Amino acid sequence: MGRNRNMTTASHNGTAGSAASSLLDEVRTCMESAAAHTDLTSFELEWLQCPHKQVEFQIPVELDSGKRTLFTGHRVQWNNARGPYKGGIRFHPSQNRDTTQALAALMTLKTAVLDLPLGGAKGSVNCRTANLSTPELEQISRGYVRALIHDIGADVDVPAPDMYTNERIMGWMTDEYQQITRRFQPGAITGKPLCLGGSRGRRQATARGAFAALREMAALSGTNLQGPVIAVHGFGNIGGNMLRLAEELLGSRVVAVCDSKTGVFAAEGLPVQAVLEHRAQQGSLRHCPIGDTISPEEVLQLEVPVLALASMEGVIHEANATGVAARLVLEAANGPITKQGERTLQSQGTVIIPDLLCNAGGVTVSYFEQIQNAANRYWSVEKVNRHLDHAMSQAVQSVWDKAQQLHTDLRIAAYATAMETVTAAMRARGWS
Ligand code: GLU
């Protein structure tokens, strides 16, 4: 394991936006490739490739300066054949309708691969949270719910956190929803604080799910991981929890982690607690005195057995894929590898565990949160984790079987599995 500092280091910051706008095309193209392995009609494919409904709205906010300004919000409801629309809300300046559509389509497929009785949706607000004060953020969160009050609900469409949104924001949204509807309906939003009906284990669920997918996939393919060395690209909720859980769940050491600007590297393994503390105190990895400084691009090129992509879409693309040395790449974020990037990785023999599996732990525990809310009875974290592990291993097994049966890669197998599952419900409803 070593570092390769000589590779070209094209910045991914600039590519994320453009990659995001083409993510929708890539999802649709993948659907077409997968459909060729199924008995879907062209009309059914067309249905799956379009959102059922989408809304764009403005959220008025009074800034701390006294100035009033508008933030643009989106909600895309992609498909609800299998249950209420379900998906997170992202607060990020690169968000537009196309990105939100692509992510809503992925949610539909993800819930289907995990066999959750849910549909798919996604929401976004175009804003930069680092520039917003707490009162400004609260106004955006409450305004989002007000704008969508007739379109969300436990049996309609259930929002949750995503990039740059968190439990606190879900808490404000839950309160706004309950104040307006005058009903205690905790299942209308998931990823809530525990004291408002959140689920134990929800915060770590995506990272745990990604590691479960890795473990199960390794077992099925007869790969001996032996506590693999891991590099983690991304330091939000998913990346941070991968750091926390790598040793406990896989016996692994994490040798590198980065946020959007910079990272740290230590060949012998990072002192996880110290890195997390620095990040908690400083808000980023800048000036972190631990290990060597490393750029986000260099993290992608480390010679490690496992690279976990936990940041955002399009970070591995045509220009940098040849520099990826890892044997196994986990798509712990949504859509982190472009189609061209994927082709290059595959030609190098790299195995990609696709986002439809690797990123599905979060929504799976969101579903458990809804079950607990409906029963008004709460599970232990052990029970949550046990059910999550079970759901992940079932999903990995079904995608693995499908890949063997169709002779395809895991992504196409996951798409085909999901599309058949959603289509079965659409047919049963008489939609096609
Ligand atoms: N935002 C997460 C995702 O992309 C979680 C969604 C949810 O819990 O509904 O899967």
Side-chain angles (χ1 to χ4, degrees):
M1 193 270 313
R3 300 179 60 174
N4 180 351
R5 284 187 168 278
N6 299 324
M7 304 305 300
T8 17
T9 53
S11 156
H12 74 262
N13 287 337
T15 57
S18 54
S21 61
S22 69
L23 182 61
L24 181 59
D25 293 336
E26 297 200 349
V27 170
R28 286 184 168 141
T29 305
C30 259
M31 285 185 180
E32 273 152 35
S33 309
H37 297 276
T38 69
D39 70 346
L40 259 71
T41 65
S42 55
F43 179 67
E44 287 165 343
L45 175 61
E46 190 184 339
W47 249 121
L48 284 180
Q49 288 182 308
C50 298
H52 286 185
K53 184 173 166 181
Q54 55 197 355
V55 35
E56 175 175 323
F57 48 92
Q58 303 302 323
I59 305 172
V61 169
E62 183 168 328
L63 301 176
D64 294 349
S65 63
K67 185 174 170 252
R68 307 200 77 197
T69 188
L70 297 173
F71 289 89
T72 304
H74 290 99
R75 185 77 180 166
V76 177
Q77 297 177 330
W78 195 268
N79 190 297
N80 66 348
R82 304 186 65 253
Y85 299 109
K86 183 83 192 79
I89 301 167
R90 182 175 281 204
F91 285 1
H92 195 271
S94 76
Q95 294 310 294
N96 55 34
R97 204 186 55 190
D98 272 18
T99 336
T100 314
Q101 284 184 344
L103 295 165
L106 286 175
M107 284 307 305
T108 305
L109 301 174
K110 239 190 293 182
T111 54
V113 171
L114 265 291
D115 202 17
L116 310 175
L118 297 168
K122 199 80 174 195
S124 60
V125 177
N126 198 305
C127 64
R128 191 178 294 280
T129 51
N131 298 345
L132 294 163
S133 68
T134 300
E136 290 164 350
L137 210 49
E138 181 172 348
Q139 286 181 70
I140 294 179
S141 308
R142 290 185 184 277
Y144 191 91
V145 169
R146 274 201 304 280
L148 288 174
I149 196 68
H150 298 300
D151 298 296
I152 57 178
D155 51 5
V156 184
D157 178 357
V158 184
D162 197 79
M163 278 173 63
Y164 296 98
T165 53
N166 53 25
E167 277 175 28
R168 184 168 67 157
I169 289 174
M170 296 308 117
W172 290 325
M173 289 187 168
T174 298
D175 181 63
E176 190 68 22
Y177 185 77
Q178 296 185 357
Q179 297 289 348
I180 297 173
T181 60
R182 299 170 63 89
R183 292 281 179 283
F184 183 76
Q185 300 183 57
I189 287 167
T190 62
K192 303 178 290 290
L194 274 187
C195 57
L196 295 184
S199 176
R200 294 184 178 84
R202 174 64 184 83
R203 217 182 279 168
Q204 300 192 329
T206 313
R208 181 174 276 275
F211 285 154
L214 170 63
R215 199 181 50 226
E216 297 297 322
M217 206 48 96
L220 288 170
S221 61
T223 311
N224 187 354
L225 289 171
Q226 279 185 334
V229 171
I230 299 182
V232 179
H233 190 273
F235 205 2
N237 172 278
I238 306 175
N241 282 311
M242 286 187 127
L243 236 66
R244 285 188 187 92
L245 294 172
E247 172 146 27
E248 177 196 330
L249 297 183
L250 298 174
S252 287
R253 68 196 145 101
V254 177
V255 291
V257 65
C258 64
D259 55 30
S260 62
K261 306 243 160 35
T262 185
V264 286
F265 170 84
E268 68 284 5
L270 290 167
V272 167
Q273 210 41 47
V275 175
L276 290 166
E277 272 164 25
H278 177 90
R279 198 347 244 271
Q281 280 158 17
Q282 306 295 320
S284 86
L285 284 172
R286 277 187 21 194
H287 310 303
C288 184
I290 298 158
D292 294 340
T293 301
I294 186 169
S295 73
E297 199 59 28
E298 285 174 312
V299 172
L300 299 175
Q301 298 157 0
L302 286 170
E303 286 170 27
V304 286
V306 178
L307 171 65
L309 302 176
S311 52
M312 65 187 303
E313 54 275 10
V315 292
I316 294 183
H317 43 81
E318 194 176 6
N320 66 2
T322 46
V324 173
R327 212 160 28 99
L328 256 165
V329 179
L330 306 187
E331 288 192 323
N334 289 300
I337 306 175
T338 68
K339 200 76 212 152
Q340 286 292 346
E342 177 177 72
R343 279 197 198 109
T344 304
L345 292 187
Q346 285 174 339
S347 70
Q348 295 169 186
T350 312
V351 174
I352 300 167
I353 308 188
D355 49 4
L356 294 190
L357 287 169
C358 259
N359 175 261
V363 69
T364 302
V365 175
S366 275
Y367 167 58
F368 299 159
E369 184 172 331
Q370 287 190 287
I371 296 176
Q372 295 169 73
N373 293 153
N376 205 12
R377 196 179 168 87
Y378 289 84
W379 299 1
S380 67
V381 71
E382 291 77 18
K383 179 168 175 177
V384 171
N385 291 342
R386 205 171 53 245
H387 281 262
L388 173 59
D389 280 353
H390 181 70
M392 291 305 306
S393 64
Q394 299 273 97
V396 170
Q397 180 76 56
S398 62
V399 170
W400 173 263
D401 291 346
K402 185 64 97 182
Q404 303 296 308
Q405 180 201 333
L406 303 178
H407 304 290
T408 61
D409 62 36
L410 297 170
R411 188 187 312 284
I412 294 298
Y415 268 68
T417 305
M419 288 163 67
E420 284 175 342
T421 304
V422 180
T423 303
M426 295 193 340
R427 287 179 185 170
R429 288 175 182 277
W431 291 0
S432 59

PDB file of all heavy atoms in Angstrom, residues 86-88 107 110 122 158 160-162 190 202 334 359 362-363 366, ligand 1:
ATOM      1  N   LYS A  86     -40.268   8.412  -1.035  1.00  0.00           N
ATOM      2  CA  LYS A  86     -39.333   8.460   0.095  1.00  0.00           C
ATOM      3  C   LYS A  86     -37.997   8.982  -0.383  1.00  0.00           C
ATOM      4  O   LYS A  86     -37.456   8.508  -1.383  1.00  0.00           O
ATOM      5  CB  LYS A  86     -39.144   7.038   0.668  1.00  0.00           C
ATOM      6  CG  LYS A  86     -38.237   6.990   1.889  1.00  0.00           C
ATOM      7  CD  LYS A  86     -38.991   7.321   3.149  1.00  0.00           C
ATOM      8  CE  LYS A  86     -38.107   7.563   4.352  1.00  0.00           C
ATOM      9  NZ  LYS A  86     -37.488   8.913   4.396  1.00  0.00           N
ATOM     10  N   GLY A  87     -37.436   9.929   0.347  1.00  0.00           N
ATOM     11  CA  GLY A  87     -36.095  10.385  -0.012  1.00  0.00           C
ATOM     12  C   GLY A  87     -35.695  11.647   0.713  1.00  0.00           C
ATOM     13  O   GLY A  87     -36.538  12.413   1.190  1.00  0.00           O
ATOM     14  N   GLY A  88     -34.400  11.858   0.778  1.00  0.00           N
ATOM     15  CA  GLY A  88     -33.846  12.958   1.565  1.00  0.00           C
ATOM     16  C   GLY A  88     -34.002  14.328   0.926  1.00  0.00           C
ATOM     17  O   GLY A  88     -34.459  14.461  -0.216  1.00  0.00           O
ATOM     18  N   MET A 107     -33.426   6.861  -5.660  1.00  0.00           N
ATOM     19  CA  MET A 107     -34.171   6.460  -4.444  1.00  0.00           C
ATOM     20  C   MET A 107     -35.200   5.381  -4.770  1.00  0.00           C
ATOM     21  O   MET A 107     -35.379   4.418  -4.018  1.00  0.00           O
ATOM     22  CB  MET A 107     -34.892   7.661  -3.813  1.00  0.00           C
ATOM     23  CG  MET A 107     -34.028   8.629  -3.038  1.00  0.00           C
ATOM     24  SD  MET A 107     -32.986   7.921  -1.738  1.00  0.00           S
ATOM     25  CE  MET A 107     -34.160   7.056  -0.721  1.00  0.00           C
ATOM     26  N   LYS A 110     -33.328   2.217  -5.210  1.00  0.00           N
ATOM     27  CA  LYS A 110     -32.725   1.766  -3.945  1.00  0.00           C
ATOM     28  C   LYS A 110     -33.757   1.100  -3.035  1.00  0.00           C
ATOM     29  O   LYS A 110     -33.520   0.032  -2.490  1.00  0.00           O
ATOM     30  CB  LYS A 110     -32.169   2.994  -3.207  1.00  0.00           C
ATOM     31  CG  LYS A 110     -30.706   2.946  -2.933  1.00  0.00           C
ATOM     32  CD  LYS A 110     -30.261   4.066  -2.001  1.00  0.00           C
ATOM     33  CE  LYS A 110     -30.360   5.452  -2.544  1.00  0.00           C
ATOM     34  NZ  LYS A 110     -29.878   6.466  -1.605  1.00  0.00           N
ATOM     35  N   LYS A 122     -36.864  12.899  -4.010  1.00  0.00           N
ATOM     36  CA  LYS A 122     -35.706  13.635  -3.487  1.00  0.00           C
ATOM     37  C   LYS A 122     -36.069  15.102  -3.435  1.00  0.00           C
ATOM     38  O   LYS A 122     -36.894  15.581  -4.221  1.00  0.00           O
ATOM     39  CB  LYS A 122     -34.494  13.458  -4.419  1.00  0.00           C
ATOM     40  CG  LYS A 122     -33.191  13.781  -3.745  1.00  0.00           C
ATOM     41  CD  LYS A 122     -32.755  12.593  -2.911  1.00  0.00           C
ATOM     42  CE  LYS A 122     -31.401  12.756  -2.298  1.00  0.00           C
ATOM     43  NZ  LYS A 122     -30.886  11.463  -1.798  1.00  0.00           N
ATOM     44  N   VAL A 158     -42.237  11.012   2.256  1.00  0.00           N
ATOM     45  CA  VAL A 158     -41.559  11.099   3.554  1.00  0.00           C
ATOM     46  C   VAL A 158     -40.114  11.588   3.387  1.00  0.00           C
ATOM     47  O   VAL A 158     -39.239  10.826   2.994  1.00  0.00           O
ATOM     48  CB  VAL A 158     -41.570   9.722   4.257  1.00  0.00           C
ATOM     49  CG1 VAL A 158     -40.957   9.822   5.650  1.00  0.00           C
ATOM     50  CG2 VAL A 158     -42.986   9.161   4.320  1.00  0.00           C
ATOM     51  N   ALA A 160     -36.280  13.101   4.489  1.00  0.00           N
ATOM     52  CA  ALA A 160     -35.238  12.629   5.416  1.00  0.00           C
ATOM     53  C   ALA A 160     -33.992  13.474   5.162  1.00  0.00           C
ATOM     54  O   ALA A 160     -33.968  14.289   4.239  1.00  0.00           O
ATOM     55  CB  ALA A 160     -34.941  11.152   5.127  1.00  0.00           C
ATOM     56  N   PRO A 161     -32.934  13.273   5.949  1.00  0.00           N
ATOM     57  CA  PRO A 161     -31.710  14.050   5.690  1.00  0.00           C
ATOM     58  C   PRO A 161     -30.948  13.551   4.458  1.00  0.00           C
ATOM     59  O   PRO A 161     -31.100  12.405   4.048  1.00  0.00           O
ATOM     60  CB  PRO A 161     -30.853  13.813   6.949  1.00  0.00           C
ATOM     61  CG  PRO A 161     -31.644  12.972   7.868  1.00  0.00           C
ATOM     62  CD  PRO A 161     -32.807  12.418   7.135  1.00  0.00           C
ATOM     63  N   ASP A 162     -30.121  14.429   3.934  1.00  0.00           N
ATOM     64  CA  ASP A 162     -29.180  14.077   2.873  1.00  0.00           C
ATOM     65  C   ASP A 162     -27.988  15.013   3.064  1.00  0.00           C
ATOM     66  O   ASP A 162     -27.735  15.452   4.192  1.00  0.00           O
ATOM     67  CB  ASP A 162     -29.852  14.243   1.495  1.00  0.00           C
ATOM     68  CG  ASP A 162     -29.105  13.509   0.397  1.00  0.00           C
ATOM     69  OD1 ASP A 162     -29.252  12.285   0.280  1.00  0.00           O
ATOM     70  OD2 ASP A 162     -28.335  14.161  -0.342  1.00  0.00           O
ATOM     71  N   THR A 190     -38.317  11.276   8.450  1.00  0.00           N
ATOM     72  CA  THR A 190     -37.403  10.374   9.170  1.00  0.00           C
ATOM     73  C   THR A 190     -36.025  11.032   9.320  1.00  0.00           C
ATOM     74  O   THR A 190     -35.765  12.080   8.736  1.00  0.00           O
ATOM     75  CB  THR A 190     -37.268   9.010   8.469  1.00  0.00           C
ATOM     76  OG1 THR A 190     -36.719   9.227   7.163  1.00  0.00           O
ATOM     77  CG2 THR A 190     -38.598   8.295   8.365  1.00  0.00           C
ATOM     78  N   ARG A 202     -29.922   5.285  13.279  1.00  0.00           N
ATOM     79  CA  ARG A 202     -30.168   5.933  11.982  1.00  0.00           C
ATOM     80  C   ARG A 202     -28.949   6.708  11.496  1.00  0.00           C
ATOM     81  O   ARG A 202     -28.621   6.701  10.318  1.00  0.00           O
ATOM     82  CB  ARG A 202     -31.393   6.860  12.067  1.00  0.00           C
ATOM     83  CG  ARG A 202     -31.668   7.694  10.811  1.00  0.00           C
ATOM     84  CD  ARG A 202     -32.003   6.835   9.621  1.00  0.00           C
ATOM     85  NE  ARG A 202     -32.176   7.576   8.375  1.00  0.00           N
ATOM     86  CZ  ARG A 202     -31.180   7.947   7.589  1.00  0.00           C
ATOM     87  NH1 ARG A 202     -29.935   7.670   7.907  1.00  0.00           N
ATOM     88  NH2 ARG A 202     -31.427   8.589   6.454  1.00  0.00           N
ATOM     89  N   ASN A 334     -24.283   8.661  -3.423  1.00  0.00           N
ATOM     90  CA  ASN A 334     -25.111   8.440  -4.615  1.00  0.00           C
ATOM     91  C   ASN A 334     -24.344   8.848  -5.875  1.00  0.00           C
ATOM     92  O   ASN A 334     -23.845   9.980  -5.952  1.00  0.00           O
ATOM     93  CB  ASN A 334     -26.379   9.298  -4.538  1.00  0.00           C
ATOM     94  CG  ASN A 334     -27.360   8.805  -3.489  1.00  0.00           C
ATOM     95  OD1 ASN A 334     -27.825   7.678  -3.558  1.00  0.00           O
ATOM     96  ND2 ASN A 334     -27.669   9.651  -2.519  1.00  0.00           N
ATOM     97  N   ASN A 359     -25.290   2.431  -0.662  1.00  0.00           N
ATOM     98  CA  ASN A 359     -25.803   3.659  -0.071  1.00  0.00           C
ATOM     99  C   ASN A 359     -27.191   3.458   0.537  1.00  0.00           C
ATOM    100  O   ASN A 359     -27.838   4.402   0.987  1.00  0.00           O
ATOM    101  CB  ASN A 359     -25.823   4.747  -1.172  1.00  0.00           C
ATOM    102  CG  ASN A 359     -26.434   6.041  -0.734  1.00  0.00           C
ATOM    103  OD1 ASN A 359     -27.602   6.303  -1.015  1.00  0.00           O
ATOM    104  ND2 ASN A 359     -25.671   6.840  -0.031  1.00  0.00           N
ATOM    105  N   GLY A 362     -29.135   3.917   4.880  1.00  0.00           N
ATOM    106  CA  GLY A 362     -29.840   5.063   5.482  1.00  0.00           C
ATOM    107  C   GLY A 362     -31.344   4.950   5.311  1.00  0.00           C
ATOM    108  O   GLY A 362     -32.113   5.029   6.272  1.00  0.00           O
ATOM    109  N   VAL A 363     -31.760   4.724   4.075  1.00  0.00           N
ATOM    110  CA  VAL A 363     -33.211   4.660   3.845  1.00  0.00           C
ATOM    111  C   VAL A 363     -33.798   3.396   4.485  1.00  0.00           C
ATOM    112  O   VAL A 363     -34.972   3.387   4.905  1.00  0.00           O
ATOM    113  CB  VAL A 363     -33.565   4.784   2.345  1.00  0.00           C
ATOM    114  CG1 VAL A 363     -33.141   3.571   1.543  1.00  0.00           C
ATOM    115  CG2 VAL A 363     -35.052   5.046   2.181  1.00  0.00           C
ATOM    116  N   SER A 366     -34.433   4.393   7.875  1.00  0.00           N
ATOM    117  CA  SER A 366     -35.568   5.324   7.837  1.00  0.00           C
ATOM    118  C   SER A 366     -36.887   4.543   7.829  1.00  0.00           C
ATOM    119  O   SER A 366     -37.865   4.923   8.482  1.00  0.00           O
ATOM    120  CB  SER A 366     -35.511   6.206   6.585  1.00  0.00           C
ATOM    121  OG  SER A 366     -34.701   7.331   6.791  1.00  0.00           O
TER     122      SER A 366
HETATM  123  N1  GLU B   1     -30.690  10.695   1.846  1.00  0.00           N
HETATM  124  C1  GLU B   1     -30.527   9.303   2.079  1.00  0.00           C
HETATM  125  C2  GLU B   1     -30.419   8.560   0.774  1.00  0.00           C
HETATM  126  O1  GLU B   1     -30.034   9.109  -0.240  1.00  0.00           O
HETATM  127  C3  GLU B   1     -31.608   8.758   2.994  1.00  0.00           C
HETATM  128  C4  GLU B   1     -32.991   8.848   2.459  1.00  0.00           C
HETATM  129  C5  GLU B   1     -34.082   8.455   3.451  1.00  0.00           C
HETATM  130  O2  GLU B   1     -33.767   8.066   4.545  1.00  0.00           O
HETATM  131  O3  GLU B   1     -35.238   8.574   3.051  1.00  0.00           O
HETATM  132  O4  GLU B   1     -30.640   7.393   0.696  1.00  0.00           O
END
